Amino acid sequence: MLYPKVGVPIIGKDLLSRYMQYQYERCLTRAGASVWLLPYYMEPEQLETIITTCSGFLFPGGTDISPELYGQHPLVGGRKKDPARDNFELALLEAVTSAEKPFFCIGRGMQLLNVAFGGTLMQNMKTKQEYTHFDIWHISTATHPVELEPYSLLAEILHTDTVSVNTLHHQTVDSLGEGLLATADSPEGFAEALEIEGYPFSLAVQWRPEYMATRTLSQQKLFQAFVTACR
Ligand SMILES: [Mn+2]
């Protein structure tokens, strides 16, 4: 298969969401994939078809996951949630992992993976930060260092044990989901990458490689490794 089909849940219809969507399409297409956008209103039977038709799945960045899904009440003044997206993405991720298909989770996508495996999130990480982790003004630039677990898939792809990344999150993994490995750390000890122990290809990063990939070749490598795993 020359152009593996990669399924990506849609982020939203507004202009900003479509701009975000485009970043993923660009990186995936450049890595040799054909992108299939997945709307939330799919029926369970359609989900089955998607799992067999797509070679891999990318779970993109976006709004906060509803805290009820990890057993917490939302903080007062928290951001707007999207329960329809939460439910669709959780059902999809569950189907993807039981079929052991390759997947790549980014930003919110990494938090989704943690929640899907029974982990929790820190709803507001601000008081524990040393670095700014929500830095929209430097979205295409590396702003904080990350240390990689030497035997992780991530270290294998990037051929290094430290990398500098951009950052656009105000939430972070709190307790780790069962069966997940935290494979990268920020200087404060926040998880910046996850993978499933013993899974064929599971890659999840907290930073946003799609905004760095044009200028920083190593970040495009993540998409390339993912698409190669889909072939
Ligand atoms: Mn960060």
Side-chain angles (χ1 to χ4, degrees), residues 131-166:
Y131 286 83
T132 306
H133 283 267
F134 191 86
D135 193 350
I136 200 158
W137 303 114
H138 301 98
I139 189 63
S140 58
T141 328
T143 55
H144 77 68
V146 158
E147 208 165 298
L148 311 181
E149 203 53 61
Y151 300 105
S152 60
L153 173 64
L154 193 57
E156 192 185 303
I157 297 168
L158 297 176
H159 297 292
T160 180
D161 53 10
T162 49
V163 66
S164 279
V165 299
N166 64 351

Side-chain angles (χ1 to χ4, degrees), residues 47-64:
L47 213 59
E48 246 170 70
T49 314
I50 296 169
I51 297 295
T52 43
T53 314
C54 291
S55 309
F57 295 84
L58 185 145
F59 292 84
T63 192
D64 296 352

